[in-house]
Amino acid sequence: MELWHAPDARSFRVLWAMEELGLPCELHLLPFPPRAHAPDYLDVNPLGTVPAFRDGETFMTESVAIIQYLAARHDPDGLGVRIDDAAYGEWLNWLHFGEATLTFPLTLVLRYRQFEPGRAEIVAEDYARWFMSRLRYPEAVLADREWLVADRFTAADISVGYALLLSDYLGLSPYWKENTARYWDRLHARKGFKAAKARQKVNLNQLLGEFGPSEK
Ligand SMILES: N[C@@H](CCC(=O)N[C@@H](CS)C(=O)NCC(=O)O)C(=O)O
C-alpha cells in the first residue's frame, strides 16, 4: 500500500488508521499545499489534494472512504463495524459526520484565518461558530460513552478525532466542552495516534528542498 500525505492534513486519518492496524505502507510525505510545492504530485492525483492512496489496482482520494476500506478489509470487528451489526448505521453516520459536518467548516476557518487573512474574516468567524454548534452532538453522546459507537475505538473515532486535531490547531480547543476535551485526551493518548505523529515528523525545509519551489 502507498499513501501520499502532508503533515496534519486529512491524510493523517489514513496514517493513523495504518498505525492502529500495524499495516505496512510506503509513505510519501509532501509539503503543503502539494499543488504549489510538489507539482509532480499532480501526476499521481490530478486533484492535487491529500490523501492519495494506492492498494494494487485500487486508487482512492477521500480520507474517510480510505479508512472505511481499511477497516472493512483488515479489521471488521475492531476499527470496522460489520454490515449486520446493529451499530453499522450509526458507525457510518459518525464516519461521514467527521468529514462532512465537522471538517468542512474548519477548512473555511483555515483558509480565511491562516492562508488568506483579511479577505473574508466574517466567513472564518461564522464557520468557527458553525463548527462549535455541530460539536453539540458528539458532546452529548460522549456523556456516557468512551468512544462514539459500538463500545470500542473504531474508524469513526479517527474520522471525528481528526476534526478535533484540526480545530485544536486552529485555536478552538479552549471552547470545547468537558466531554469533548476528555475524549480528545483519550484519542491522543493512543499508541496509534502517537506513532502516526512520530512518523510524519519531518523538517519542513527538508521537504521543500526535496521537491523544490514551483511556479505552478
Ligand atoms: N474530502 C477530502 C478532502 C481532501 C482535501 O481537500 N485535502 C486538503 C488537505 S486537508 C488538500 O489536499 N488541500 C490542498 C489543495 O486543495 O490544493 C478528504 O477527506 O480526503
Side-chain angles (χ1 to χ4, degrees):
M1 287 185 268
E2 285 179 87
L3 172 64
W4 286 262
H5 167 61
D8 281 352
R10 280 162 170 114
S11 43
F12 185 79
R13 285 189 177 116
V14 184
L15 188 59
W16 184 2
M18 290 280 191
E19 292 295 336
E20 290 281 348
L21 293 170
L23 291 172
C25 92
E26 188 181 340
L27 183 63
H28 304 278
L29 271 172
L30 297 166
F32 193 83
R35 86 187 117 79
H37 300 296
D40 289 353
Y41 176 60
L42 294 173
D43 296 338
V44 176
N45 176 10
L47 294 170
T49 54
V50 281
F53 167 82
R54 186 170 287 134
D55 182 13
E57 298 291 298
T58 302
F59 180 74
M60 301 172 79
T61 61
E62 284 292 330
S63 60
V64 174
I66 300 165
I67 62 173
Q68 183 178 350
Y69 169 90
L70 291 172
R73 284 239 162 144
H74 297 277
D75 198 18
D77 298 309
L79 283 195
V81 173
R82 287 187 193 266
I83 199 163
D84 55 359
D85 189 313
Y88 180 67
E90 198 187 342
W91 179 67
L92 284 182
N93 202 64
W94 283 119
L95 274 174
H96 290 269
F97 185 88
E99 174 61 15
T101 296
L102 289 183
T103 305
F104 159 71
L106 291 177
T107 61
L108 294 166
V109 182
L110 181 67
R111 177 167 190 164
Y112 293 115
R113 241 177 222 170
Q114 308 262 125
F115 293 143
E116 301 177 37
R119 267 195 68 210
E121 191 47 42
I122 186 77
V123 174
E125 188 62 39
D126 280 356
Y127 280 89
R129 279 176 207 281
W130 164 304
F131 170 78
M132 292 311 302
S133 76
R134 295 314 188 265
L135 269 189
R136 268 187 229 139
Y137 183 28
E139 173 67 21
V141 162
L142 290 164
D144 54 8
R145 290 186 195 179
E146 198 176 352
W147 306 113
L148 288 170
V149 64
D151 294 325
R152 64 177 186 270
F153 176 83
T154 72
D157 297 295
I158 293 180
S159 179
V160 170
Y162 174 73
L164 294 181
L165 181 154
L166 185 56
S167 88
D168 184 38
Y169 170 79
L170 291 168
L172 297 175
S173 52
Y175 306 103
W176 295 346
K177 298 238 163 69
E178 200 182 327
N179 299 331
T180 304
R182 288 214 187 118
Y183 175 57
W184 173 243
D185 288 343
R186 290 193 287 280
L187 288 170
H188 78 241
R190 291 189 68 84
K191 267 194 195 145
F193 181 95
K194 289 183 183 161
K197 276 282 188 184
R199 203 161 165 204
Q200 71 169 10
K201 226 180 200 138
V202 66
N203 180 315
L204 193 59
N205 290 331
Q206 192 185 322
L207 263 188
L208 287 170
E210 200 172 307
F211 289 94
S214 156
E215 304 286 307
K216 227 174 192 175

